[in-house]
Amino acid sequence: MSANTLKPNTLRHFTQYCENKYNGLETKPSPLRLRMIRADLCMLGVCSLHPEVGISVPNLDEAHVKRAIIAGSAEVVGLVTAEKLDTAAPYLVESIRALTYLVTAPTVSNNMLSAYKALGLTIIRDEYA
Protein backbone atom coordinates (compact mmCIF):
# COMPACT_ATOMS: atom_id res chain seq x y z
CA MET A 1 0.00 0.00 0.00
CA SER A 2 1.46 3.36 -0.96
CA ALA A 3 1.81 6.24 1.49
CA ASN A 4 -0.81 8.15 -0.52
CA THR A 5 -3.46 5.46 0.03
CA LEU A 6 -5.86 6.14 2.89
CA LYS A 7 -5.61 3.37 5.45
CA PRO A 8 -8.58 2.34 7.59
CA ASN A 9 -6.86 3.73 10.68
CA THR A 10 -6.65 7.45 9.88
CA LEU A 11 -4.35 8.18 12.81
CA ARG A 12 -1.86 5.66 11.47
CA HIS A 13 -2.25 7.19 7.99
CA PHE A 14 -1.63 10.69 9.29
CA THR A 15 1.37 9.47 11.32
CA GLN A 16 2.82 7.82 8.20
CA TYR A 17 2.29 11.05 6.23
CA CYS A 18 4.14 13.05 8.89
CA GLU A 19 7.00 10.54 9.02
CA ASN A 20 7.33 10.62 5.23
CA LYS A 21 7.22 14.41 5.14
CA TYR A 22 9.91 14.83 7.74
CA ASN A 23 12.10 12.05 6.36
CA GLY A 24 12.38 13.97 3.10
CA LEU A 25 9.97 11.87 1.04
CA GLU A 26 7.74 13.95 -1.17
CA THR A 27 4.45 12.21 -0.46
CA LYS A 28 1.49 14.53 -0.22
CA PRO A 29 -1.98 13.59 0.97
CA SER A 30 -4.70 14.04 -1.59
CA PRO A 31 -7.28 16.63 -0.45
CA LEU A 32 -9.96 14.27 -1.79
CA ARG A 33 -8.69 11.51 0.50
CA LEU A 34 -8.37 13.90 3.42
CA ARG A 35 -12.04 14.84 2.98
CA MET A 36 -12.83 11.23 3.94
CA ILE A 37 -11.52 11.91 7.47
CA ARG A 38 -14.17 13.02 9.97
CA ALA A 39 -13.03 14.74 13.16
CA ASP A 40 -14.91 16.09 16.14
CA LEU A 41 -12.23 18.71 16.71
CA CYS A 42 -9.47 20.11 14.51
CA MET A 43 -6.54 21.97 16.09
CA LEU A 44 -5.44 24.16 13.20
CA GLY A 45 -2.12 25.99 13.17
CA VAL A 46 -2.84 29.36 11.56
CA CYS A 47 -0.21 31.10 9.42
CA SER A 48 -2.23 34.27 8.79
CA LEU A 49 -5.59 35.40 10.13
CA HIS A 50 -7.50 38.51 9.18
CA PRO A 51 -11.10 39.39 10.12
CA GLU A 52 -12.04 40.22 6.53
CA VAL A 53 -9.70 37.99 4.49
CA GLY A 54 -9.98 34.92 6.72
CA ILE A 55 -7.46 32.10 7.12
CA SER A 56 -4.63 32.15 4.59
CA VAL A 57 -1.28 30.43 4.01
CA PRO A 58 1.84 31.02 1.90
CA ASN A 59 1.64 27.65 0.08
CA LEU A 60 -1.06 26.36 -2.29
CA ASP A 61 -0.68 22.69 -1.24
CA GLU A 62 -1.06 23.68 2.40
CA ALA A 63 -4.23 25.62 1.53
CA HIS A 64 -5.77 22.52 -0.09
CA VAL A 65 -4.86 20.28 2.86
CA LYS A 66 -6.15 22.70 5.52
CA ARG A 67 -9.36 23.30 3.57
CA ALA A 68 -10.01 19.54 3.37
CA ILE A 69 -9.34 18.98 7.07
CA ILE A 70 -11.61 21.91 8.04
CA ALA A 71 -14.38 20.52 5.83
CA GLY A 72 -14.30 17.22 7.72
CA SER A 73 -14.27 18.72 11.21
CA ALA A 74 -17.24 19.45 13.45
CA GLU A 75 -15.34 22.20 15.30
CA VAL A 76 -12.13 24.03 14.40
CA VAL A 77 -9.75 25.61 16.89
CA GLY A 78 -7.44 28.22 15.36
CA LEU A 79 -4.07 28.36 17.12
CA VAL A 80 -2.52 31.75 16.43
CA THR A 81 0.25 33.91 17.82
CA ALA A 82 -0.04 37.71 18.05
CA GLU A 83 2.24 38.33 15.07
CA LYS A 84 -0.04 36.25 12.81
CA LEU A 85 -3.21 38.17 13.69
CA ASP A 86 -4.41 40.81 11.23
CA THR A 87 -2.21 39.41 8.46
CA ALA A 88 -2.92 37.80 5.10
CA ALA A 89 -0.94 35.35 2.96
CA PRO A 90 -1.36 34.67 -0.78
CA TYR A 91 -3.54 31.53 -0.59
CA LEU A 92 -6.99 31.62 1.00
CA VAL A 93 -7.97 28.60 3.09
CA GLU A 94 -11.38 29.56 4.47
CA SER A 95 -13.47 32.37 5.83
CA ILE A 96 -12.86 33.22 9.47
CA ARG A 97 -16.34 31.80 10.12
CA ALA A 98 -14.82 28.31 9.68
CA LEU A 99 -13.27 28.73 13.14
CA THR A 100 -15.18 27.83 16.28
CA TYR A 101 -12.51 28.95 18.75
CA LEU A 102 -9.42 31.11 18.61
CA VAL A 103 -6.56 30.22 20.97
CA THR A 104 -3.85 32.81 21.52
CA ALA A 105 -1.47 34.06 24.18
CA PRO A 106 -2.73 35.97 27.23
CA THR A 107 -0.51 38.90 26.25
CA VAL A 108 -2.58 39.65 23.13
CA SER A 109 -4.55 42.84 23.80
CA ASN A 110 -8.34 43.04 23.92
CA ASN A 111 -8.13 45.73 21.26
CA MET A 112 -6.34 43.35 18.87
CA LEU A 113 -8.98 40.66 19.47
CA SER A 114 -12.08 42.89 19.31
CA ALA A 115 -12.77 42.30 15.59
CA TYR A 116 -12.57 38.52 16.11
CA LYS A 117 -14.93 38.65 19.10
CA ALA A 118 -17.36 40.76 17.04
CA LEU A 119 -17.47 37.93 14.47
CA GLY A 120 -18.63 35.53 17.18
CA LEU A 121 -15.41 33.65 17.82
CA THR A 122 -14.84 32.29 21.30
CA ILE A 123 -11.42 33.55 22.36
CA ILE A 124 -9.27 31.39 24.63
CA ARG A 125 -6.08 32.81 26.03
CA ASP A 126 -3.51 30.22 26.95
CA GLU A 127 -0.07 30.81 28.40
CA TYR A 128 1.34 28.07 26.15
CA ALA A 129 -0.07 29.51 22.91
Side-chain angles (χ1 to χ4, degrees):
M1 184 178 282
S2 76
N4 283 334
T5 303
L6 183 64
K7 298 176 183 177
N9 181 334
T10 56
L11 179 59
R12 188 170 14 135
H13 171 73
F14 185 71
T15 302
Q16 181 64 49
Y17 161 68
C18 291
E19 288 172 0
N20 287 345
K21 181 177 179 183
Y22 295 107
N23 286 330
L25 300 176
E26 292 298 322
T27 58
K28 295 178 184 173
S30 160
L32 292 175
R33 290 185 178 140
L34 287 173
R35 287 186 186 271
M36 295 167 37
I37 298 172
R38 295 287 170 238
D40 293 330
L41 183 67
C42 168
M43 305 293 278
L44 186 73
V46 176
C47 296
S48 294
L49 187 65
H50 191 277
E52 294 172 17
V53 176
I55 306 162
S56 58
V57 294
N59 179 291
L60 182 59
D61 287 336
E62 185 178 0
H64 289 307
V65 168
K66 287 188 178 204
R67 194 174 301 121
I69 294 296
I70 288 170
S73 300
E75 294 185 306
V76 180
V77 177
L79 308 171
V80 63
T81 57
E83 51 277 346
K84 295 179 180 182
L85 288 168
D86 297 332
T87 64
Y91 298 98
L92 180 64
V93 174
E94 267 296 345
S95 157
I96 197 161
R97 299 205 184 275
L99 298 178
T100 312
Y101 304 97
L102 184 64
V103 177
T104 193
T107 56
V108 177
S109 72
N110 286 332
N111 188 40
M112 187 172 239
L113 295 172
S114 63
Y116 302 98
K117 286 181 184 178
L119 291 169
L121 279 174
T122 300
I123 309 292
I124 300 170
R125 289 187 168 134
D126 187 276
E127 64 183 277
Y128 298 106

